[in-house]
Amino acid sequence: MDISPPLKPAALHILRALADGDSHGYAIMVAVREQSGGEIPLQTGSFYRHLSRLIADGLVDEAARRRNGDDDPRRGTYYRLTPRGRQRLATERRRLAGLVAALGTASSRKNV
Amino acid sequence: MPLMNAERVYAWLLRAYPERFRARFEESMRDTFVRDWAGTRTGGPLRCARFWIDTAGQAVWFGLAERRETPRAHPLGVFMRSLFAVDWRDAVRSLRATPVVTAIAVLSLALGVGANTALFSILNSLILKSLPVREPERLVMIDKGSWTNPIWEQIKERRQQIWLDAFAWSGNRFDLSTQGQTDIVPGAWVSGNMFDVLGVRAAAGRLFTIADDARSGGPSGPVAVVSHGFAERRFNGASQALGKRLMVDRLAVTVVGVTPRDFFGLDVGRSADVMLPINVHALQQNGVRDLDQRSMWWLEVMGRLKPDQTIEQAEAVLRGVQPQIREATLPQDWSAKDQAEYLKEAFALVPATTGQSNLRDTYSTPLKTIMVVVSAVLLIACANIANLLLARASARRRELSLRLALGASRFRLARQLLAESLILGAGGAALGLVVAGWIGSVLVRQLATPTNAVMLDLSIDWRVLGFTAAVAMATSFIFGLAPALGVSRVAPHEAIKAEGRGVIGDRRFGLRNVLVVGQLALSLALVVGAALFARTLSALVSSPLGFDADRLLIATVDAPDAIGEKDRGAFYGRVRDAAAALPGVEHATVSMLTPIGGMRWNTNIDPSADVPEPPKKIHPWVNSVEPGWFKTFGPSILQGRDFDARDRAGAPRVTIVSQAFVKTFFGGANPVGKRLKTGVEGPKVEMLEIIGVASDTVYRSLRAGFEPTMYIPMAQQDEGSSSTVLTVRAASGPPEALTRGLGQAIISVDPAATFTIRPFSTQLRSAVRQERLVAMLGGLFGGLALLLAAIGLYGVTSYSVTRRRGEIGIRMALGANPVGVVRLIMARVSGLMIAGIVVGGAIAWWASKYVATLLFGLGPRDPITFVMAVAVLAVAGALAGWLPARRAARIDPVRVLRES
């Protein structure tokens, strides 16, 4: 059982975005903004702070290859989800689903 | 902000991050940032502003946070971190605990920083800023004024031999009206290649080409380029201006292009709104003559140095071709002596990176003076805040010593106090930027005159921001240092001591006295300056004009093109008669120029039988007037006669000279009947007979006073001028009431005539605008300095009264009377005052010599002014000291004894 504290929403969104495949800094940031419907207004500074934490915790790693070959106009690194990261994402998903279910029951009971 | 620059700024911000973090993420972060910014910048200024605030805040905040988490840091990093490891929230909380002190500090800082920033931004745009063109540092200008078009044409042929390229231009005022009230806009004649050489690209349409600069008007006919601001004002936008027709000095031209928003021409302080190619002037009346005229000096010539070419090398090449240029453009009608001088005079080059500016020449010294004044005011304000913070620090002694007792280091406490000062400084600076924008625009309005709009780009650039930030940092340290140093004298055991005991002999009180003496000294110097400027203005305003300026209304009238040169005299005569017939008009006259009107005309007096040896270098001023001029303006004819109907074209040439002229050229002897040989009438010199002597009038400026002046009858001028000034004197009351009637009278003579009417008093006011501005600002800031110093003195005295309450109570209990107590306190105040006056007097004595050129009618060390200033300071100081002294005298000894 994973005993680490729950992930912050922004970090969770980053993992979620990377679950679709290796990606590039700006693309991940934009994906997070869209996934969260603008709820998480990541900017370059805050985004890389979260990313560096995730790398330090071993959930994300730098991807070795560049997807578009050498003519890729984008500079900088691609990132990928580590197996631990994938596992952690699943754990969080279960935890949150449980939480939502519990909240749902609580509110329906109240409505009775 | 262009993308490249934005990335550079961001890269710089990233330095907040530790080395390790940057090695890993910098490249990615820069890429992410650039893409994000590209998506944001089109989203409007508000979004951009928020983006940058967030970006900068996050970079600094997270960068420092990462640093704190980095395990093994660089020793310098440890030190830096210790500086930033301040509890900012604690500092804010402590400032909020004393809201009044904080508000006063921030507000006085905002005023001080704002005034400094405003002055600096004006100086910046006037003196420091480079022209917004490609590689302005490679621009050079031919020195010493303007050049004739024939000279420019010679240089044009050789321009690429001398430099990479060269161009010419001439600032001008164009009239866009076709009839009735004139519609004057600032503009310029420019050579066809000017924009190419400068590297300025059109904001819309196209700019000039060499082909446009032709006497026949170029392939698209006569064309014009207008400024961005003008296009927006007249045509509601740059693209709408294209293809529009303009009447420029009665020549129809087509607008083909608009200059970029930040390009105002080459004359800093003026916006060139309408620009025409130089040779298009040929299509206007007298244009061909002006273009070929070898003694009409109107063009400025600038060159762009070749890569690696120095200004000396370019000058050497220019001087190499100088003989040919001079030979080919020699004015044929000049005397042999003048021609020899013309051939000899060498061209010189000066750097032109910041363009050229009349405004700069007029206002550099006054603005620098005011800059010094406002920085002194800021220093005085800083001393006040330091005093305030010192008082606050002594009130917080218990808190500070408790912290010490609990184990805080002194360094940490000092840092905490400095942090508070920095917050105050930053707050003051932020508010100061707002104040600066406001003060700046008011000041620029003051520089303008009714006929000369001033356009200065006061946008906040990195220089201004840097200046403000530096001032804010410096001031925070100046006023924050004293309280921070005071921490070293707080003892941990003080916290346990009872309050009010053992406080005699506080050494910091000495520091506060020094601050007050400094304030008094600086404010005395500023009051001396303010008094010097105020007395200069009053001396100028009350200096004699030699005529009665009240009730005069002047109208600049341009004859319609349909009236030929020969008939202009008659036309102006009809205009004058129509004006004279108006009810309420006492006199009316027409002349070429008006006194202190900004236009000048001078001539040389050549040796002749009656004036064998005219003093060299004195060129008398000339005005050409109609009979009635002396009656209208008011100078009296002292000897001989006034002009009258006899002095027609063809009659013997006559002149009336002023008293100063008689004194200079005839040693005061009666000159009536003597004959002069002058340059007034060109080569076919006919001697001018002096028929009268008029009382002196001012010609050029109030400062210049009465200068040798000669008047010639308009009817005897060879060339009828296309523009003259009609002056009327109202029989009574304000002359403005005649404006409407005068306009109608001019139109009734010829509806195609154009004119501008204004009262003479506005001309008089703008003649002293520089002095008025300096006196106004000097007085304002001198008064502010005095107020701040008085507050400082009051604060220190009041503080000392509070602290000596026990002592004074005991003295009174022992029999001291209230008068004695007041004397006790005032003795101390006088000590401070005398020290301040001695130091301040010395500063003023030394500094006043730098403003000597701004003064009029009194010397920089005028004793009366010094005595006046000392008296003012003494009164203010006595009042500031007396209020707390009176409070001391009312101390109730019984209560004081009971309390202790």
Side-chain angles (χ1 to χ4, degrees):
Chain A
M1 183 65 201
D2 200 330
I3 52 156
S4 21
L7 280 176
K8 288 190 176 169
L12 201 54
H13 275 289
I14 293 174
L15 293 187
R16 165 74 193 82
L18 280 170
D20 296 340
D22 300 358
S23 188
H24 169 265
Y26 179 64
I28 307 173
M29 188 168 91
V30 171
V32 171
R33 285 188 197 158
E34 280 167 7
Q35 280 168 28
S36 68
E39 284 291 305
I40 295 173
L42 274 188
Q43 280 211 347
T44 314
S46 44
F47 169 67
Y48 280 92
R49 186 157 163 82
H50 286 295
L51 194 65
S52 80
R53 292 263 167 82
L54 291 171
I55 292 175
D57 293 344
L59 304 179
V60 174
D61 200 2
E62 292 179 9
R65 67 190 168 87
R66 300 187 66 103
R67 200 168 19 189
N68 300 349
D70 285 341
D71 341 317
D72 192 347
R74 290 180 255 203
R75 295 169 297 163
T77 324
Y78 275 72
Y79 298 95
R80 68 181 176 88
L81 214 52
T82 61
R84 235 182 107 191
R86 206 168 287 281
Q87 197 185 331
R88 180 69 187 274
L89 184 62
T91 317
E92 285 288 327
R93 193 174 271 150
R94 273 200 303 280
R95 191 177 66 76
L96 286 175
L99 189 61
V100 170
L103 287 175
T105 353
S107 70
S108 56
R109 212 176 270 162
K110 200 175 172 188
N111 283 346
V112 167
Chain B
M1 196 174 311
L3 272 168
M4 263 321 288
N5 273 344
E7 185 175 348
R8 221 180 302 154
V9 171
Y10 190 65
W12 188 80
L13 284 171
L14 283 181
R15 293 186 191 189
Y17 286 87
E19 200 71 42
R20 202 180 43 89
F21 192 93
R22 262 190 298 169
R24 184 158 208 172
F25 292 113
E26 176 159 359
E27 199 58 20
S28 302
M29 289 180 84
R30 280 167 75 154
D31 178 74
T32 307
F33 166 80
V34 167
R35 285 163 199 285
D36 204 15
W37 171 230
T40 308
R41 60 198 294 227
T42 50
L46 219 72
R47 244 186 96 191
C48 288
R50 270 202 58 182
F51 176 85
W52 275 102
I53 291 169
D54 286 351
T55 301
Q58 289 191 356
V60 172
W61 198 254
F62 294 144
L64 293 177
E66 288 289 342
R67 270 175 197 279
R68 214 176 300 172
E69 290 155 15
T70 304
R72 276 181 42 203
H74 194 266
L76 188 71
V78 173
F79 176 72
M80 288 304 287
R81 208 165 66 215
S82 78
L83 276 188
F84 282 100
V86 175
D87 195 340
W88 293 96
R89 257 180 307 180
D90 195 29
V92 170
R93 201 178 301 136
S94 133
L95 285 172
R96 280 174 63 182
T98 50
V100 177
V101 172
T102 305
I104 290 177
V106 168
L107 277 180
S108 45
L109 265 182
L111 279 178
V113 173
N116 275 274
T117 304
L119 257 295
F120 180 81
S121 62
I122 292 178
L123 283 172
N124 180 32
S125 70
L126 200 57
I127 297 170
L128 302 175
K129 234 183 231 178
S130 303
L131 292 170
V133 302
R134 187 180 64 212
E135 295 182 84
E137 61 285 349
R138 275 172 51 208
L139 290 178
V140 294
M141 193 159 75
I142 304 188
D143 196 14
K144 287 280 142 51
S146 316
W147 307 96
T148 64
N149 189 50
I151 292 183
W152 159 238
E153 283 176 349
Q154 289 292 318
I155 291 177
K156 187 156 78 176
E157 276 172 34
R158 302 173 171 82
R159 63 186 200 274
Q160 280 154 344
Q161 171 190 349
I162 306 168
W163 299 283
L164 192 63
D165 209 339
F167 62 89
W169 94 98
S170 169
N172 201 345
R173 292 166 59 220
F174 290 124
D175 177 13
L176 302 188
S177 69
T178 45
Q179 57 176 53
Q181 284 278 358
T182 49
D183 174 13
I184 307 283
V185 297
W189 295 105
V190 309
S191 66
N193 64 341
M194 181 175 100
F195 295 108
D196 272 345
V197 181
L198 287 175
V200 172
R201 297 233 198 91
R206 65 170 182 92
L207 301 181
F208 295 138
T209 61
I210 299 222
D212 290 322
D213 192 5
R215 292 195 179 190
S216 55
S220 359
V223 291
V225 161
V226 299
S227 74
H228 200 279
F230 181 82
E232 283 188 337
R233 282 196 304 276
R234 298 271 169 140
F235 305 117
N236 299 318
S239 47
Q240 279 94 308
L242 302 178
K244 291 274 166 29
R245 309 277 285 171
L246 277 180
M247 291 297 284
V248 181
D249 284 354
R250 294 173 189 164
L251 172 71
V253 297
T254 314
V255 177
V256 291
V258 178
T259 55
R261 193 182 285 278
D262 63 350
F263 183 81
F264 301 108
L266 296 168
D267 190 352
V268 177
R270 265 172 104 254
S271 168
D273 279 339
V274 175
M275 283 159 276
L276 299 185
I278 290 172
N279 279 312
V280 165
H281 187 34
L283 300 173
Q284 290 176 325
Q285 212 163 31
N286 298 336
V288 175
R289 194 194 62 192
D290 287 351
L291 287 174
D292 291 336
Q293 176 63 269
R294 292 183 170 189
S295 49
M296 190 170 125
W297 308 82
W298 58 298
L299 294 170
E300 322 280 334
V301 179
M302 262 198 199
R304 177 179 287 284
L305 296 176
K306 295 174 187 167
D308 305 324
Q309 187 184 35
T310 66
I311 194 164
E312 290 78 17
Q313 288 164 345
E315 192 172 84
V317 184
L318 179 63
R319 287 198 178 159
V321 295
Q322 153 155 356
Q324 291 107 286
I325 297 177
R326 290 284 190 188
E327 197 69 53
T329 59
L330 189 66
Q332 299 302 333
D333 51 354
W334 283 18
S335 69
K337 202 182 84 212
D338 289 341
Q339 286 187 337
E341 249 169 56
Y342 178 87
L343 291 173
K344 240 181 19 227
E345 204 190 331
F347 290 123
L349 291 181
V350 290
T353 309
T354 54
Q356 176 254 356
S357 173
N358 290 325
L359 199 66
R360 185 187 299 158
D361 301 342
T362 323
Y363 281 104
S364 265
T365 317
L367 285 177
K368 283 179 189 161
T369 307
I370 298 299
M371 183 85 226
V372 172
V373 168
V374 292
S375 29
V377 170
L378 183 62
L379 272 182
I380 295 175
C382 278
N384 256 356
I385 298 168
N387 254 332
L388 218 58
L389 293 185
L390 274 175
R392 193 162 154 276
S394 32
R396 286 170 69 191
R397 263 179 111 89
R398 278 174 65 84
E399 176 208 332
L400 295 179
S401 60
L402 187 66
R403 284 178 170 214
L404 275 180
L406 292 177
S409 76
R410 284 178 196 278
F411 182 49
R412 197 188 157 90
L413 285 190
R415 236 162 44 207
Q416 193 69 33
L417 290 178
L418 268 182
E420 288 170 22
S421 309
L422 273 178
I423 293 179
L424 284 181
L431 212 58
L433 275 180
V434 179
V435 174
W438 177 72
I439 296 180
S441 61
V442 170
L443 276 183
V444 168
R445 265 206 297 281
Q446 296 294 325
L447 301 181
T449 65
T451 52
N452 232 341
V454 170
M455 167 67 236
L456 278 180
D457 179 16
L458 292 190
S459 58
I460 291 172
D461 63 359
W462 60 270
R463 263 206 204 93
V464 174
L465 266 186
F467 174 84
T468 309
V471 167
M473 287 291 277
T475 49
S476 318
F477 275 104
I478 292 172
F479 63 69
L481 202 61
L485 289 179
V487 171
S488 63
R489 299 199 197 89
V490 175
H493 60 264
E494 255 180 74
I496 4 175
K497 276 209 218 157
E499 202 158 354
R501 300 251 171 96
V503 287
I504 302 298
D506 182 353
R507 281 192 295 156
R508 266 180 303 160
F509 196 67
L511 184 58
R512 301 191 64 186
N513 284 343
V514 171
L515 283 175
V516 166
V517 168
Q519 284 185 305
L520 290 170
L522 276 181
S523 66
L524 177 66
L526 295 194
V527 171
V528 167
L532 286 174
F533 297 139
R535 295 192 53 190
T536 292
L537 179 63
S538 90
L540 273 177
V541 169
S542 59
S543 68
L545 291 169
F547 58 89
D548 181 7
D550 297 336
R551 295 189 281 132
L552 289 182
L553 192 65
I554 51 182
T556 311
V557 185
D558 296 330
D561 280 352
I563 294 181
E565 214 171 292
K566 292 232 159 52
D567 303 319
R568 280 191 198 139
F571 167 75
Y572 290 123
R574 288 203 302 280
V575 168
R576 185 204 48 212
D577 294 341
L582 280 176
V585 169
E586 193 175 271
H587 293 291
T589 189
V590 170
S591 56
M592 271 286 277
L593 314 166
T594 53
I596 51 178
M599 301 275 283
R600 297 158 192 185
W601 176 13
N602 67 3
T603 183
N604 47 314
I605 301 292
D606 294 334
S608 63
D610 287 337
V611 193
E613 279 176 41
K616 275 186 194 143
K617 307 229 155 142
I618 298 185
H619 299 283
W621 299 107
V622 185
N623 194 358
S624 141
V625 304
E626 285 266 288
W629 191 86
F630 293 97
K631 281 203 192 74
T632 310
F633 272 85
S636 43
I637 301 293
L638 302 172
Q639 282 162 321
R641 64 171 178 90
D642 196 347
F643 295 129
D644 56 33
R646 275 172 289 173
D647 309 312
R648 292 275 101 197
R653 302 221 167 196
V654 293
T655 180
I656 293 176
V657 297
S658 74
Q659 283 171 288
F661 186 99
V662 176
K663 212 162 132 202
T664 309
F665 291 94
F666 294 97
N670 183 353
V672 174
K674 296 270 173 35
R675 283 146 66 83
L676 296 172
K677 189 165 178 241
T678 74
V680 174
E681 300 296 324
K684 314 140 263 191
V685 190
E686 219 181 306
M687 303 281 270
L688 293 180
E689 187 189 338
I690 299 175
I691 56 161
V693 176
S695 62
D696 276 325
T697 59
V698 164
Y699 184 94
R700 238 184 336 156
S701 67
L702 292 169
R703 252 175 212 272
F706 297 152
E707 296 173 291
T709 308
M710 47 193 292
Y711 304 87
I712 56 173
M714 239 180 172
Q716 295 189 339
Q717 242 186 294
D718 285 342
E719 302 157 351
S721 168
S722 66
S723 171
T724 53
V725 189
L726 168 71
T727 307
V728 300
R729 177 178 292 283
S732 63
E736 288 88 336
L738 295 173
T739 307
R740 241 182 105 81
L742 195 60
Q744 281 161 353
I746 298 170
I747 292 172
S748 73
V749 173
D750 192 325
T754 56
F755 54 86
T756 319
I757 303 177
R758 60 179 185 278
F760 188 83
S761 53
T762 59
Q763 195 156 310
L764 203 55
R765 253 203 308 283
S766 54
V768 291
R769 71 190 190 282
Q770 186 234 61
E771 286 83 3
R772 189 182 302 278
L773 180 74
V774 172
M776 196 180 82
L777 292 178
L780 183 71
F781 292 120
L784 189 60
L786 192 65
L787 180 69
L788 288 171
I791 291 173
L793 183 63
Y794 170 84
V796 167
T797 313
S798 166
Y799 181 67
S800 108
V801 165
T802 312
R803 286 179 359 103
R804 292 172 72 185
R805 213 165 151 256
E807 177 207 332
I808 293 168
I810 292 169
R811 276 172 190 263
M812 289 178 86
L814 293 179
N817 58 5
V819 177
V821 171
V822 169
R823 199 179 293 142
L824 183 78
I825 303 293
M826 289 308 273
R828 190 169 183 144
V829 170
S830 324
L832 293 175
M833 293 283 301
I834 288 169
I837 286 170
V838 169
V839 177
I843 295 176
W845 189 263
W846 167 78
S848 62
K849 65 169 185 265
Y850 294 105
V851 298
T853 53
L854 295 178
L855 302 180
F856 176 80
L858 73 170
R861 288 167 183 176
D862 179 53
I864 300 172
T865 307
F866 272 68
V867 170
M868 259 167 47
V870 169
V872 167
L873 188 74
V875 170
L879 193 67
W882 181 70
L883 291 172
R886 196 183 54 161
R887 194 153 54 85
R890 289 184 182 163
I891 288 175
D892 179 0
V894 180
R895 268 182 62 189
V896 170
L897 290 176
R898 197 178 297 142
E899 275 168 24
S900 54

